[in-house]
Amino acid sequence: MEDQTKISLTQKTLASGNCQVKFIIEDEAKPQYGYLLMNEPKSVGEIMEEIKTRMERRRKSNPFSLSNPVKDDHNFYLFSA
């Protein structure tokens, strides 16, 4: 089954030289938005894959597990809209 979630994004280069990507996940049941900070500009396809990978990692992590604790990702922020 293919994921039909629509993700739109905008990116800008910060004074530090890092690239900040703001993304919006358009999902009627659970709309979200967030930010991804990258060290260098990447193609839209690479950014989309990076967002999906990090979201999947976050979804699979269990904050209550002692054997597999969640590590803070200070370059990826996700919020409910």
Side-chain angles (χ1 to χ4, degrees), residues 17-38:
N18 290 337
C19 183
Q20 179 191 47
V21 177
K22 179 180 180 182
F23 59 91
I24 300 170
I25 302 167
E26 298 173 22
D27 182 345
E28 289 184 23
K30 189 176 179 183
Q32 298 174 302
Y33 71 97
Y35 298 90
L36 174 63
L37 182 64
M38 299 181 303

Side-chain angles (χ1 to χ4, degrees), residues 59-75:
R59 186 185 66 77
K60 287 182 177 179
S61 65
N62 182 353
F64 304 108
S65 170
L66 296 176
S67 62
N68 188 19
V70 176
K71 294 185 176 163
D72 289 338
D73 185 350
H74 298 289
N75 293 326

Side-chain angles (χ1 to χ4, degrees), residues 8-57:
S8 58
L9 54 89
T10 57
Q11 58 181 320
K12 68 178 179 178
T13 302
L14 303 176
S16 64
N18 290 337
C19 183
Q20 179 191 47
V21 177
K22 179 180 180 182
F23 59 91
I24 300 170
I25 302 167
E26 298 173 22
D27 182 345
E28 289 184 23
K30 189 176 179 183
Q32 298 174 302
Y33 71 97
Y35 298 90
L36 174 63
L37 182 64
M38 299 181 303
N39 294 330
E40 59 189 27
K42 294 185 179 182
S43 72
V44 172
E46 289 174 311
I47 294 170
M48 294 294 236
E49 285 305 311
E50 184 72 24
I51 291 169
K52 289 177 183 179
T53 299
R54 290 183 186 225
M55 287 183 63
E56 183 65 19
R57 187 180 317 142

